[in-house]
Amino acid sequence: MAAATSFHTSSKSYNLEAFFRMKRGRLTVTIDSQVVQMQQRTKKQKMDKPSSVMGQFQMQYGMLDWGNLPHHVVLHIFQYLPLVDRARASSVCRRWNEVFHIPELWRKFEFELNQPATSYLKSTHPDLIQQIIKKHANHLQYVSFKVDSCTESAEAACDILSQLVNCSIKTLGLISTAKPSFMNVSKSHFVSALTVVFINSKSLSSIKIDDTPVDDPSLKVLVANNSDTLKLLKMSSCPHVSPAGILCVADQCHGLRELALNYHLLSDELLLALSTEKHVRLEHLRIDVVSENPGQTQFHTIKKQSWDALIKHSPKVNIVMYFFLYEEEFDAFFREETPVTHLYFGRAVSKAMLGRIGMNCPRLVELVVCANGLQPLDDELIRIADRCKNLTAIGLGECEVTCSAFVEFVKMCGRRLTQLSIMEEVLIPDNKYNLEQIHYEVSKHLGRVWFPDMMPTW
């Protein structure tokens, strides 16, 4: 009985092994008649009609051989591979290596420069960087540099930039993933490297150089060589640029559609330059209002006439303002009508300031307040709901609002409030609503289920 069981098991294993060999297309000869018949049926089905995409591919190109795939097929596959895997695949055969160097694969590239001693992030291998500079510099079009907080990484990025003398870059981004390490590079080294790209590209359309030592002379070089193509310029926290430097860009680059800068660079002259007939309609203006010396910074005021000129020229422009100020530093803002659409307050903001927003920001679309204090914002929210008819999103952090006032605010805004992020601690129960009842009332006016956000307990 034991012998019979053993024979049955080995026969079953043999058939299973034969079956898997057949699935791999390697079955040739077998003494098992059932397996032979199965193999013949499979071959007949393949000859009669392709039963899959791979079968159709074989009918068109012959027997499948990965080494003989058409260039356009390999190229399509390579475009989905990370760079490391693409480089490994290029060593498989000569054809794949040829595809690896096709210019289309090198139009977009991100240099990642990190110091292994201080960063866990991956870094582009130095040998690959040299290969790119040697063989593909003239193919690069969409280039970005990601650097960690080490000055050495930022200097390495500058070294690469200075070698791109035959480039035709269209978009350039310099990104600090932690501290702004480009600010630690010598100004002359940075400007010299950046100028190489500005001079040689001739067709730059998008530049993101936040937190860098770019200066007025280098912006003049940018304008002299790329004024017809520049559409986007982001340069927040660039202390060496003056209002005159950014005004030069606005005066000459009439195709500029998006601009990001610090408030100290904003001027009436700049807004008027962006509003001339020669200039295209501005789509996005981001302004960072940051206190360099807390309690000692005096902020200038932009005239209402300048804002009006911009809105008349570009009626659909999004004006985004990020505030990182202390309460006593807000005096210069929103005393007259201001066409801001998105407001973000990263520090405490006073009740009086929020009251002025309700009175003088009729285009407001989104409002985020991280902190306010212990005074309820009932009247201020009601005024904002009444005057800001375009408001669709609001977020409140460390603030206080009575439940009744909050329900009234939501009722006035109605279903146009697509985003409503309110911490549960913000809502103060009163004699009309408690925290359980407010969920139902707010959901009713929004037309969807809503709950307040809760602080994580970890």
Side-chain angles (χ1 to χ4, degrees), residues 83-367:
L83 178 61
V84 174
D85 294 336
R86 196 191 307 166
R88 289 171 179 166
S90 70
S91 63
V92 169
C93 62
R94 182 179 299 175
R95 179 182 288 266
W96 286 19
N97 188 263
E98 292 173 355
V99 175
F100 180 71
H101 293 289
I102 289 178
E104 188 174 345
L105 283 176
W106 299 97
R107 290 176 183 170
K108 183 178 180 180
F109 193 83
E110 182 175 78
F111 293 91
E112 297 182 90
L113 305 171
N114 304 292
Q115 302 302 311
T118 58
S119 177
Y120 63 89
L121 299 173
K122 62 182 179 179
S123 188
T124 307
H125 197 280
D127 292 343
L128 178 59
I129 292 175
Q130 290 304 312
Q131 187 181 57
I132 292 171
I133 294 173
K134 183 178 179 181
K135 295 184 178 182
H136 302 293
N138 59 329
H139 302 149
L140 296 173
Q141 293 183 0
Y142 310 97
V143 181
S144 61
F145 291 82
K146 275 188 177 180
V147 301
D148 60 10
S149 58
C150 292
T151 306
E152 292 83 355
S153 301
E155 290 176 339
C158 293
D159 291 339
I160 297 171
L161 284 170
S162 63
Q163 298 179 68
L164 300 180
V165 293
N166 297 316
C167 63
S168 57
I169 295 175
K170 294 183 178 180
T171 69
L172 174 65
L174 305 182
I175 305 164
S176 297
T177 57
K179 294 187 297 183
S181 51
F182 282 105
M183 292 302 299
N184 298 326
V185 178
S186 72
K187 181 169 168 285
S188 59
H189 185 197
F190 177 84
V191 168
S192 175
L194 195 63
T195 302
V196 169
V197 178
F198 287 174
I199 292 176
N200 291 283
S201 290
K202 306 292 185 183
S203 59
L204 278 165
S205 63
S206 172
I207 305 174
K208 300 177 182 180
I209 46 176
D210 298 322
D211 298 299
T212 65
V214 61
D215 60 4
D216 289 357
S218 54
L219 288 182
K220 289 182 179 180
V221 175
L222 167 68
V223 170
N225 293 275
N226 302 272
S227 61
D228 294 336
T229 58
L230 189 63
K231 296 179 180 179
L232 181 151
L233 177 60
K234 292 187 176 182
M235 43 176 296
S236 297
S237 301
C238 296
H240 300 294
V241 176
S242 71
I246 192 64
L247 181 60
C248 173
V249 176
D251 279 335
Q252 301 297 322
C253 300
H254 298 145
L256 192 65
R257 298 180 182 275
E258 296 187 45
L259 178 63
L261 71 170
N262 277 62
Y263 186 79
H264 78 273
L265 296 179
L266 189 68
S267 64
D268 294 295
E269 293 78 11
L270 177 62
L271 293 181
L272 294 175
L274 295 170
S275 306
T276 60
E277 292 182 3
K278 294 181 180 180
H279 207 288
V280 300
R281 291 181 177 178
L282 197 66
E283 296 176 358
H284 191 91
L285 175 62
R286 169 174 169 161
I287 306 163
D288 289 352
V289 190
V290 182
S291 177
E292 302 294 340
N293 300 300
Q296 302 178 14
T297 304
Q298 295 294 324
F299 292 95
H300 61 283
T301 301
I302 301 297
K303 297 177 182 177
K304 181 178 182 299
Q305 294 90 329
S306 303
W307 286 121
D308 290 344
L310 179 66
I311 297 304
K312 183 179 179 180
H313 178 268
S314 305
K316 295 183 179 180
V317 62
N318 287 319
I319 301 176
V320 183
M321 298 185 74
Y322 285 81
F323 283 88
F324 297 92
L325 304 180
Y326 295 94
E327 286 191 25
E328 62 272 14
E329 297 175 315
F330 283 103
D331 189 63
F333 301 97
F334 307 120
R335 292 200 170 274
E336 292 186 302
E337 187 171 301
T338 307
V340 63
T341 56
H342 299 72
L343 273 175
Y344 305 94
F345 293 96
R347 294 189 185 133
V349 56
S350 66
K351 280 172 62 69
M353 180 66 170
L354 291 174
R356 295 206 299 267
I357 290 171
M359 292 295 294
N360 295 319
C361 299
R363 297 180 76 241
L364 190 64
V365 173
E366 183 174 8
L367 174 65

Side-chain angles (χ1 to χ4, degrees), residues 16 30 38 55 66 89 100 114 125 222 266 399 432 455:
L16 187 61
T30 177
M38 187 182 298
W66 287 100
F100 180 71
N114 304 292
H125 197 280
L222 167 68
L266 189 68
C399 310
K432 193 170 183 180
M455 185 71 70

